[in-house]
Amino acid sequence: MIQINKKEDCCGCEACVQRCPTNCISLTQDMEGFLYPSANPDLCIQCGLCEKVCPVINRRDLHLPIASYAAKNTNKQIRENSSSGGIFTQLSEYVIEKGGVVFGAKFDGNWDVVHDYTEDILGITTFQGSKYVQSRIQNSYKQVEIFLKKGRLVIFSGTPCEVSGLKYFLRKDYHNLITIDFICHGVPSPLVFKEYLTELSNKYNSNIQTIQFRSKEYGWKHFCMKIQFSSEEVYTQPLNKDPYLLGFLSDWYLRPSCFACPTRNLSSGADITLGDFWGIDTLLPNFDDDRGVSAIIINSKKGEEIIHNINIEKISVQFKDLADRNTAILNNATFNKAARRKFFTEKDKTFSKRIEWMQKPTLKDRIRFHSNKIFSKLLKK
């Protein structure tokens, strides 16, 4: 029976909930806004399946990739609407054209991030772009299994822990399944994201129409949050000014498991890992136009085959050159217990005021700053 004694021991993939044969596992939201499973002992038959599908309990070996690339979609409009180089869209179109199914994360009608699937090209657009919120997997693993058993070609994309959860849930390899994860910094709280959206909706006194976490209005390297409202007003703030992006990149409201990720270092079992090729301007300056370049990491022969079957611009690179420029491949987010507690306990302030307050230097920081200034002056005498 699954038991979560420490928050960092659950990544929220929901594999245990979907695999339980008696439906005895339910999810409960904690005060930070993350969901955790708990089993009803009266319904549990002690089959142990929940533990067998858990990617935190069961961990895969680390491995080096088969190949690595810097890549761009040849369709400039698709690349413009994507977070980086638009490679996921190209892969998805290939699978749809083969009569397959694509699973990914999208916004639902309430602006919650959920996993869903599409069987047509138009449906792929809902999966485009980064969504810096933990997705609800819901019944996606069960749906993937149904399509696979029918012989359909399936792409499943998600965080490394979601891909690992799917792999353990299925309990066997399927030749018609292609799994794609991404270079993951960590997943923020859905509750915090809702608080942010509510504050903006109230400010503009209007309903939200579209959300882009990674608008390229100021370029790919200086991406911005862009939210359009029904009033036709548009909120646009770069990553260093938008309060939600600031808090996310400061690691203040990531899921606890993200600080001890069980599937980092390319250990999720995914066939392909995608991400932004940060620092491409220092490695391949002629390939960079500041409209987005993807990093592609090939982890299996299956992944290698499909990448070679799609029409993209790509240049082979050394994995070390890629990893040196994108530290999230190998390194966990930084855990700051005091800052995290500070953010989640100050509920009397609005979201944006809490972020503003969090950025102010503490008394300890101010003392250190002034001490360093005095010390520097003494050295100059």
Side-chain angles (χ1 to χ4, degrees):
M1 183 170 65
I2 200 81
Q3 290 183 319
I4 308 301
N5 298 316
K6 295 186 295 183
K7 294 290 179 72
E8 59 265 33
D9 288 341
C10 175
C11 60
C13 71
E14 304 182 43
C16 57
V17 179
Q18 293 180 73
R19 184 45 75 194
C20 178
T22 64
N23 297 316
C24 80
I25 303 176
S26 59
L27 294 169
T28 304
Q29 181 178 283
D30 72 352
M31 60 84 65
E32 294 181 347
F34 296 107
L35 295 173
Y36 293 89
S38 59
N40 183 338
D42 295 330
L43 297 177
C44 181
I45 58 174
Q46 301 297 326
C47 65
L49 286 176
C50 56
E51 295 178 347
K52 291 177 182 177
V53 301
C54 176
V56 176
I57 295 173
N58 308 282
R59 306 201 182 195
R60 290 180 170 81
D61 294 332
L62 309 182
H63 70 278
L64 289 174
I66 293 174
S68 303
Y69 299 97
K72 295 184 287 193
N73 193 314
T74 55
N75 185 314
K76 291 184 178 179
Q77 188 56 52
I78 289 175
R79 187 155 66 106
E80 193 66 26
N81 294 332
S82 303
S83 292
S84 50
I87 304 304
F88 170 74
T89 300
Q90 194 85 350
L91 290 165
S92 299
E93 288 179 350
Y94 174 84
V95 168
I96 296 292
E97 288 166 0
K98 295 286 184 182
V101 186
V102 174
F103 283 77
K106 71 172 193 178
F107 290 114
D108 69 6
N110 297 315
W111 298 109
D112 293 316
V113 179
V114 299
H115 257 69
D116 201 356
Y117 69 87
T118 184
E119 299 177 77
D120 62 71
I121 295 290
L122 290 177
I124 297 171
T125 59
T126 63
F127 302 144
Q128 284 181 330
S130 298
K131 296 163 184 75
Y132 295 138
V133 190
Q134 178 152 41
S135 172
R136 284 295 313 275
I137 291 292
Q138 304 180 109
N139 291 320
S140 290
Y141 293 168
K142 289 182 178 180
Q143 292 169 325
V144 168
E145 189 174 43
I146 290 169
F147 283 123
L148 291 173
K149 288 181 175 179
K150 289 181 178 179
R152 301 282 295 278
L153 181 62
V154 175
I155 271 186
F156 179 90
S157 65
T159 63
C161 57
E162 288 168 345
V163 168
S164 187
L166 172 65
K167 291 274 190 172
Y168 284 120
F169 172 88
L170 294 173
R171 295 180 291 178
K172 61 175 283 189
D173 290 326
Y174 285 85
H175 72 278
N176 50 328
L177 172 65
I178 300 159
T179 51
I180 301 173
D181 68 3
F182 53 85
I183 301 169
C184 183
H185 177 77
V187 290
S189 162
L191 185 65
V192 171
F193 182 59
K194 277 289 180 158
E195 189 180 355
Y196 164 75
L197 292 185
T198 299
E199 188 175 315
L200 278 178
S201 293
N202 291 338
K203 178 181 177 181
Y204 285 88
N205 193 27
S206 182
N207 295 321
I208 293 169
Q209 294 296 299
T210 62
I211 298 174
Q212 284 180 279
F213 284 91
R214 298 278 302 278
S215 169
K216 296 175 182 176
E217 193 158 317
Y218 305 136
W220 167 57
K221 299 183 190 72
H222 300 282
F223 61 85
C224 64
M225 179 74 82
K226 184 175 183 179
I227 301 177
Q228 294 181 307
F229 294 88
S230 56
S231 62
E232 298 186 358
E233 292 182 276
V234 180
Y235 168 87
T236 307
Q237 286 292 342
L239 61 96
N240 62 333
K241 292 185 178 180
D242 175 74
Y244 186 80
L245 292 177
L246 277 168
F248 164 57
L249 295 172
S250 298
D251 306 331
W252 290 332
Y253 36 81
L254 300 182
R255 191 178 182 96
S257 60
C258 297
F259 302 106
C261 178
T263 51
R264 209 170 292 280
N265 297 348
L266 307 179
S267 62
S268 70
D271 298 300
I272 300 169
T273 298
L274 298 177
D276 294 275
F277 207 126
W278 301 126
I280 188 67
D281 53 318
T282 64
L283 183 66
L284 298 168
N286 294 332
F287 199 62
D288 175 38
D289 58 2
D290 200 30
R291 305 319 297 169
V293 177
S294 291
I296 302 178
I297 302 170
I298 308 297
N299 302 310
S300 72
K301 292 292 184 182
K302 195 191 303 182
E304 186 176 39
E305 182 179 347
I306 189 172
I307 286 295
H308 289 312
N309 281 333
I310 62 174
N311 182 28
I312 56 174
E313 292 183 66
K314 66 180 189 294
I315 299 176
S316 179
V317 298
Q318 294 295 315
F319 174 67
K320 185 180 185 304
D321 289 332
L322 195 165
D324 286 346
R325 290 165 172 79
N326 202 322
T327 57
I329 297 174
L330 306 176
N331 300 316
N332 287 318
T334 303
F335 181 64
N336 186 326
K337 186 176 181 180
R340 188 184 179 82
R341 185 190 298 114
K342 182 179 177 181
F343 175 82
F344 280 109
T345 53
E346 287 296 324
K347 292 295 185 180
D348 59 320
K349 296 180 176 66
T350 64
F351 172 77
S352 57
K353 288 295 182 184
R354 288 213 313 277
I355 295 296
E356 184 181 326
W357 178 62
M358 292 285 290
Q359 290 180 285
K360 291 180 180 178
T362 63
L363 176 60
K364 185 177 179 181
D365 291 332
R366 293 197 297 271
I367 291 172
R368 185 185 296 116
F369 174 75
H370 289 296
S371 296
N372 288 339
K373 282 184 69 175
I374 293 169
F375 185 66
S376 296
K377 287 180 180 179
L378 288 174
L379 287 177
K380 290 177 182 178
K381 289 183 178 179

